[in-house]
C-alpha cells in the first residue's frame, strides 16, 4: 500500500463568491507535487486548510496518516511552510525572529540554519522590513528548511526570486526528496518550474480539481489537437476538455489522446499539451465543453 | 507556554522596552503629583491593560498571524501564553510605576500611600476587567476591536451622563443598593475574606474571558 505524506478527501470551504468544492488528492512520500491553477482557483485556500489556518466546512486532511486538527501540534512540527507573502514582525531583526522560532521546533538544526543563511546571503542583523521580497522569501525558506521538515508546503515559493536562485531552490527541493520519507507540495504560476521539478501535478480551476496526476501520465494522455471545423463532429466532441476556435482552424484540448487518435480526421495535428497549454485552455479564452 | 511568551517578547522587545520605559516614567511623574492616588491608579490600571494588548495587535498590523499559526502550537496554547504574558506585563508596569513614583523628587506619595491593600485591589480589579473585556475583541477583530471598545467606552460615558440627568433618583438608588450589597458582603466576610472573594471573582472573570477568546480564536480564519 502506498504511503502518503498528505491525503485530502472531499475538502470544502465556502467564501462569499467562491467555493472550494470536493477537493481530493494525495501526495505520496518521496515526491514533489505542483499545485497549479489561475489566480483565484483556490490554491492558497487549500494550503491554508492543510495548515489549519482556516476552517473547513467538510472533508478530511491527513498528514503522514494523522488528522491535521486532532494532531495539530505534532503535524505542524513536521511541516515547513512558506507563505506567498512572507510576513513576520517587520521591525524585528532576522536574528531575533530565528531565535524566537527555533525553540518551538524539537528538530531545529542551528548549524543547518546558519549554513542556509550564509548560502542565501542573508544579513541576520538586518530588520525584516529592510529586505526585498526575494530576500524575505529566502529567509522564510531558511526557517522552513532548518527544522528538517518532512513535508514542505510552499505557496508560490519562486515568485520574486531571481532565475539563478529559483533554479537552486528547485534543485534543493529535488535533492530533499531523495530522502524517501519527505515530500513537497508547492503552488506556482511558473509552469516551467513544474516541468523540471514536479512528479505530480494537481490542477485547480474555480475551486475544483481538474486533475491530480503523475506528470508523465499528463504528458502521455493530454494533447492539443489542431484541425479544421470537422474536428467538432458529434462523435469527437465529448473527448475534448476545452476548445478554441479561430477563423481558420480549431484547437482542442483532450485528456484522452489514445482514444481520440484513431478517430481524428486526416490532416489533424497532435501536439503534446504542456502544463501551460492546459492552464491557458482551461482558463479564459477557451470555450469549456 | 514559556517558549511562546519568550517568542512574543523577543519579537516585540524594542516596542516593549521602549514603550514600557517611556510609559512608566510618564505615569510615575503624573502619579507623584497627584492629590488623589485612587483616581490616578484607576487611570493607570486602564493603561496598564492596554499596553499588552497593543503588543498583541502588532501581529495584526504586520499580518503575521498566518506565520504564527503555522508554528507547532495549538491555538489554545497560543492564547494561554498571551493571557499569562498580558498579566505579567501589566504587573511589571504597575510595580515599576509605583516604585518609580516614590523615587520621583518632590513626590506627594509614599510607600504606604501607594501600596494600600484597597488601592492595590482596585488597580487589579480594573486591570482584570479592562484586559478581560478587551482580549476577546482583540482576538476576534485585532486592532479594530480595541478601537471599537474604546469608542464604545466613550459613548457609554456620554450616555451615562445624559441618563444621569434624566434618571438621577433611579441611578442613585441603584448605586446605593450596590454599595450596600458590597458593604454587607465586606462586613460578612471581613477584610481578608472580601479581598479573597474579589480575587476569586476576578479569576473567574478572567477564565471566562479566556474561554470566550478561545471560542472566537478557534473559529477565526487567518
Amino acid at each position: 500500500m502506498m504511503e502518503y505524506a498528505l491525503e485530502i478527501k472531499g475538502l470544502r470551504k465556502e467564501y462569499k463568491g467562491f467555493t472550494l468544492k470536493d477537493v481530493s488528492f494525495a501526495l505520496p512520500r518521496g515526491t514533489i507535487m505542483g499545485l497549479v491553477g489561475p489566480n483565484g482557483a483556490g490554491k492558497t485556500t487549500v494550503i491554508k486548510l492543510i495548515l489549519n489556518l482556516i476552517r473547513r466546512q467538510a472533508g478530511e486532511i491527513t498528514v503522514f496518516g494523522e488528522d491535521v486538527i486532532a494532531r495539530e501540534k505534532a503535524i505542524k512540527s513536521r511541516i515547513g511552510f512558506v507563505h506567498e507573502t512572507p510576513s513576520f514582525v517587520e521591525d524585528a531583526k532576522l536574528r531575533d525572529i530565528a531565535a524566537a522560532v527555533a525553540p518551538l521546533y524539537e528538530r531545529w538544526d542551528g548549524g543547518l540554519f546558519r549554513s542556509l543563511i550564509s548560502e542565501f546571503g542573508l544579513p541576520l542583523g538586518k530588520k525584516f522590513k529592510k529586505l526585498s521580497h526575494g530576500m524575505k522569501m529566502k529567509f522564510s525558506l531558511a526557517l522552513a528548511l532548518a527544522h528538517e521538515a518532512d513535508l514542505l508546503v510552499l505557496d508560490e515559493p519562486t515568485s520574486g526570486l531571481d532565475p539563478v536562485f529559483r533554479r537552486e531552490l528547485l534543485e534543493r527541493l529535488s535533492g530533499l526528496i531523495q530522502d524517501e520519507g519527505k515530500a513537497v507540495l508547492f503552488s506556482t504560476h511558473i509552469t516551467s518550474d513544474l516541468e523540471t521539478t514536479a512528479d505530480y501535478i494537481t490542477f485547480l480551476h474555480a475551486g475544483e480539481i481538474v486533475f491530480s496526476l503523475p506528470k508523465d501520465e499528463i504528458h502521455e494522455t493530454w494533447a492539443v489537437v489542431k484541425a479544421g471545423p470537422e474536428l467538432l463532429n458529434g462523435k469527437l466532441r465529448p473527448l475534448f476538455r476545452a476548445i478554441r476556435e479561430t477563423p481558420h482552424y480549431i484547437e482542442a484540448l483532450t485528456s484522452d489522446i489514445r482514444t481520440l487518435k484513431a478517430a481524428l480526421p486526416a490532416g489533424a495535428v497532435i501536439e503534446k499539451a504542456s502544463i501551460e497549454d492546459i492552464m491557458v485552455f482551461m482558463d479564459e479564452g477557451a470555450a469549456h465543453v | 507556554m514559556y517558549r511562546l511568551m519568550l517568542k512574543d517578547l523577543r519579537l516585540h522587545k524594542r516596542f516593549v522596552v521602549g514603550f514600557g520605559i517611556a510609559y512608566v516614567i510618564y505615569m510615575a511623574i503624573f502619579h507623584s503629583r497627584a492629590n488623589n492616588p485612587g483616581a490616578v491608579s484607576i487611570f493607570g490600571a486602564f493603561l496598564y491593560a492596554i499596553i499588552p494588548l497593543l503588543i498583541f495587535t502588532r501581529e495584526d498590523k504586520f499580518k503575521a498571524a498566518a506565520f504564527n499559526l503555522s508554528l507547532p502550537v495549538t491555538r489554545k496554547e497560543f492564547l494561554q501564553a498571551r493571557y499569562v504574558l498580558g498579566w505579567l506585563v501589566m504587573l511589571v508596569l504597575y510595580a515599576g510605576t509605583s516604585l518609580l513614583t516614590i523615587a520621583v523628587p518632590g513626590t506627594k506619595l509614599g510607600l504606604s500611600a501607594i501600596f494600600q491593600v484597597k488601592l492595590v485591589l482596585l488597580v487589579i480589579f480594573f486591570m482584570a476587567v479592562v484586559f478581560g473585556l478587551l482580549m476577546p475583541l482583540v482576538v476576534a477583530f485585532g486592532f479594530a476591536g480595541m478601537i471599537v471598545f474604546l469608542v464604545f467606552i466613550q459613548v457609554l460615558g456620554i450616555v451615562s451622563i445624559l441618563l444621569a440627568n434624566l434618571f438621577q433618583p433611579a441611578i442613585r438608588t441603584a448605586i446605593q443598593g450596590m454599595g450596600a450589597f458590597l458593604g454587607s458582603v465586606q462586613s460578612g466576610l471581613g477584610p481578608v475574606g472580601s479581598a479573597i472573594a474579589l480575587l476569586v471573582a476576578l479569576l473567574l472573570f478572567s477564565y471566562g474571558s479566556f474561554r470566550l477568546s478561545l471560542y472566537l480564536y478557534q473559529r477565526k480564519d487567518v
Side-chain angles (χ1 to χ4, degrees):
Chain A
M1 197 177 115
M2 190 180 277
E3 279 191 58
Y4 295 114
L6 169 69
E7 205 173 357
I8 293 179
K9 288 179 193 163
L11 196 58
R12 184 178 182 86
K13 174 73 184 172
E14 286 173 32
Y15 288 111
K16 204 176 175 184
F18 172 79
T19 303
L20 191 78
K21 292 181 262 314
D22 197 28
V23 167
S24 302
F25 65 87
L27 168 64
R29 289 177 185 229
T31 63
I32 297 177
M33 177 182 279
L35 190 60
V36 285
N39 286 334
K43 303 185 294 293
T44 298
T45 303
V46 169
I47 285 175
K48 284 185 167 184
L49 284 163
I50 293 168
L51 285 148
N52 199 21
L53 300 179
I54 54 176
R55 286 184 310 146
R56 60 198 187 209
Q57 260 100 30
E60 244 178 71
I61 306 175
T62 54
V63 171
F64 300 107
E66 296 187 298
D67 185 83
V68 290
I69 294 177
R71 299 270 298 142
E72 184 174 15
K73 195 172 170 179
I75 285 170
K76 282 184 178 172
S77 69
R78 298 179 73 182
I79 294 180
F81 170 56
V82 174
H83 197 273
E84 58 178 331
T85 45
S87 302
F88 302 100
V89 174
E90 292 272 329
D91 57 4
K93 289 180 179 173
L94 303 192
R95 182 182 291 113
D96 293 326
I97 297 173
V101 168
L104 299 170
Y105 289 101
E106 279 177 20
R107 285 156 66 185
W108 181 267
D109 183 339
L112 175 61
F113 177 72
R114 281 189 294 277
S115 91
L116 288 166
I117 287 295
S118 140
E119 190 184 323
F120 296 169
L122 292 165
L124 279 177
K126 219 170 183 176
K127 287 181 180 175
F128 185 73
K129 67 180 171 191
K130 300 278 182 192
L131 303 182
S132 66
H133 174 73
M135 295 285 261
K136 284 179 178 174
M137 198 53 103
K138 285 181 182 181
F139 179 63
S140 194
L141 275 165
L143 290 180
L145 294 169
H147 63 90
E148 299 185 338
D150 294 320
L151 171 63
L152 280 180
V153 179
L154 315 172
D155 194 3
E156 304 277 357
T158 51
S159 71
L161 296 180
D162 62 76
V164 176
F165 184 72
R166 215 174 83 211
R167 180 164 295 185
E168 282 173 19
L169 169 67
L170 295 172
E171 281 169 7
R172 185 178 285 277
L173 295 182
S174 298
L176 205 75
I177 52 139
Q178 296 309 308
D179 175 347
E180 292 285 313
K182 296 185 188 290
V184 179
L185 173 74
F186 76 103
S187 72
T188 185
H189 282 105
I190 306 168
T191 51
S192 59
D193 291 351
L194 299 170
E195 301 285 1
T196 55
T197 317
D199 303 300
Y200 286 79
I201 309 283
T202 294
F203 186 92
L204 268 172
H205 187 269
E208 289 181 84
I209 293 269
V210 177
F211 60 77
S212 183
L213 295 166
K215 189 177 67 186
D216 296 343
E217 194 180 321
I218 295 166
H219 288 322
E220 282 166 20
T221 58
W222 288 69
V224 175
V225 180
K226 292 180 187 173
E230 68 276 13
L231 190 64
L232 297 183
N233 72 42
K235 205 174 78 184
L236 295 179
R237 200 168 181 124
L239 295 170
F240 296 125
R241 303 290 293 256
I243 294 164
R244 185 189 294 150
E245 292 188 59
T246 72
H248 309 291
Y249 61 92
I250 287 165
E251 281 184 321
L253 178 74
T254 180
S255 58
D256 189 5
I257 193 61
R258 291 186 191 115
T259 311
L260 189 67
K261 228 171 194 173
L264 280 176
V269 176
I270 303 169
E271 288 173 1
K272 261 188 185 175
S274 64
I275 307 298
E276 190 168 320
D277 289 331
I278 298 171
M279 269 182 78
V280 172
F281 261 95
M282 299 302 293
D283 202 20
E284 286 177 67
H288 290 237
V289 178
Chain B
M1 189 198 295
Y2 165 74
R3 287 171 182 174
L4 281 170
M5 286 160 57
L6 215 57
K7 176 188 85 69
D8 274 343
L9 286 175
R10 273 185 173 132
L11 290 178
H12 303 285
K13 65 182 179 190
R14 280 171 194 81
F15 179 83
V16 174
V17 173
F19 206 78
I21 289 175
Y23 176 74
V24 164
I25 292 171
Y26 160 76
M27 270 312 289
I29 293 170
F30 182 40
H31 218 166
S32 68
R33 301 289 178 265
N35 292 317
N36 183 349
V40 177
S41 295
I42 292 169
F43 175 65
F46 184 77
L47 294 180
Y48 301 139
I50 298 286
I51 290 188
L53 293 161
L54 281 176
I55 300 171
F56 304 151
T57 57
R58 279 162 57 81
E59 177 185 295
D60 196 39
K61 180 181 166 190
F62 297 125
K63 297 180 175 62
F67 169 72
N68 274 335
L69 290 180
S70 74
L71 296 169
V73 283
T74 61
R75 292 189 185 207
K76 187 178 179 182
E77 288 172 329
F78 207 80
L79 216 51
Q80 279 170 338
R82 292 221 151 157
Y83 266 81
V84 174
L85 182 63
W87 270 101
L88 279 178
V89 170
M90 288 192 291
L91 292 174
V92 166
L93 287 171
Y94 176 44
T97 303
S98 302
L99 293 173
L100 197 62
T101 300
I102 300 162
V104 171
T107 183
K108 292 179 180 175
L109 302 170
L111 199 65
S112 56
I114 284 184
F115 288 108
Q116 293 171 52
V117 175
K118 268 189 180 173
L119 199 57
V120 171
L121 286 174
L122 195 68
V123 170
I124 290 173
F125 171 80
F126 274 96
M127 287 194 306
V129 169
V130 175
F131 187 72
L133 287 176
L134 270 172
M135 261 307 263
L137 288 169
V138 168
V139 164
F141 308 111
F143 189 65
M146 200 162 90
I147 297 299
V148 166
F149 178 80
L150 296 176
V151 170
F152 172 74
I153 291 284
Q154 297 286 325
V155 173
L156 194 69
I158 295 166
V159 171
S160 305
I161 291 166
L162 292 174
L163 288 180
N165 289 331
L166 284 172
F167 305 103
Q168 215 164 19
I171 290 171
R172 189 176 295 152
T173 310
I175 291 173
Q176 281 170 347
M178 204 181 288
F181 169 72
L182 291 174
S184 68
V185 169
Q186 201 175 0
S187 61
L189 296 173
V192 176
S194 34
I196 291 171
L198 176 69
L199 290 175
V200 169
L202 291 179
L203 208 63
L204 289 173
F205 176 76
S206 296
Y207 182 69
S209 162
F210 169 74
R211 295 304 304 184
L212 176 61
S213 296
L214 185 60
Y215 175 84
L216 295 168
Y217 203 30
Q218 283 177 333
R219 279 152 188 80
K220 189 177 180 179
D221 286 351
V222 296

